[in-house]
Amino acid sequence: MPAPSKRDSDATSLRRKLDELYDLRCTEPEQEAKRLAASLEEVQRSSDALVTSLRRQLTQQSADAIKAVQPAHELDALQARVERLERQAAAYEMLTGLSVDVGKDGRTISCCCKGEERAHEFAVDLFPEDGDAGDLGYQPASGDGSCKELPDYLQDGIICAHSQRAPIMPEDIIHAPNPSPRPAQSKGPKHRL
């Protein structure tokens, strides 16, 4: 940067002298007005900075609010899905007589298959200790082989390999022979689906 010229320094000196003369000539109210104007400019600058800061915060809070609304919509969708699944489970139980209750650990499912004359309770282990990934464990609730109407393979606990999973067990439980015949009804045959 070039050194200031003599002309520039003379102009600066002259400007300083004029300011000093003006300050000497100014009355006290004029000096007070000058101080107030400077103070007003400072307040305006700080107000502008505050407004800018508040706008940034408001923009951030608006973005955060939008982010908070999205999970609320997701929660509503999940709630609707849960309600739909509950209706499906109730319909399944009504149609098959098989009720299920997922354990708190998420590993086991307690099941009860209710027929007109019998009920069979059993548990399904989604992660059996002796099984591989994807295998299911079956354990009758009594565990002592006391449910004689079930096929032999359902008297004790078993592990079903993932590749062999089929609706055989529920079908065998539902269609197990009744332990005692039903008494004859006097009002004629009753048709059921």
Side-chain angles (χ1 to χ4, degrees):
M1 176 168 212
S5 67
K6 182 172 168 120
R7 185 176 179 188
D8 290 338
S9 78
D10 286 344
T12 305
S13 173
L14 185 59
R15 180 73 187 159
R16 192 178 35 229
K17 286 182 182 179
L18 282 173
D19 286 341
E20 288 173 4
L21 284 174
Y22 178 77
D23 288 342
L24 288 175
R25 190 179 163 280
C26 280
T27 62
E28 191 173 314
E30 289 174 328
Q31 289 177 348
E32 183 65 23
K34 188 177 179 181
R35 278 193 303 273
L36 288 175
S39 175
L40 180 62
E41 286 177 15
E42 180 61 32
V43 167
Q44 185 65 38
R45 276 193 302 274
S46 98
S47 294
D48 289 343
L50 180 61
V51 166
T52 302
S53 171
L54 290 174
R55 282 186 178 151
R56 261 183 286 160
Q57 289 177 3
L58 184 60
T59 302
Q60 180 63 38
Q61 288 176 351
S62 296
D64 292 345
I66 290 170
K67 290 176 186 175
V69 168
Q70 290 171 340
H73 290 300
E74 292 171 10
L75 183 61
D76 291 342
L78 285 174
Q79 182 65 32
R81 183 171 184 225
V82 166
E83 289 170 1
R84 189 172 57 253
L85 289 173
E86 286 173 343
R87 286 191 304 271
Q88 287 174 351
Y92 181 79
E93 182 177 347
M94 182 183 69
L95 293 171
T96 65
L98 181 66
S99 62
V100 296
D101 183 33
V102 178
K104 290 181 183 179
D105 62 358
R107 287 184 60 101
T108 58
I109 301 173
S110 298
C111 303
C112 182
C113 185
K114 298 174 186 169
E116 289 185 18
E117 286 115 16
R118 70 184 184 289
H120 177 63
E121 294 184 24
F122 60 96
V124 174
D125 188 350
L126 299 175
F127 305 99
E129 291 180 16
D130 297 337
D132 295 327
D135 291 353
L136 293 177
Y138 162 85
Q139 183 65 45
S142 63
D144 60 4
S146 64
C147 197
K148 300 294 182 203
E149 65 270 6
L150 291 176
D152 290 340
Y153 81 98
L154 292 176
Q155 296 294 326
D156 295 316
I158 57 173
I159 294 178
C160 298
H162 182 336
S163 61
Q164 296 175 338
R165 283 197 299 190
I168 287 179
M169 285 191 320
E171 184 177 320
D172 285 350
I173 292 169
I174 291 169
H175 296 295
N178 292 330
S180 61
R182 290 180 55 196
Q185 295 178 352
S186 62
K187 294 184 180 179
K190 192 173 189 181
H191 298 287
R192 294 190 182 260
L193 292 177

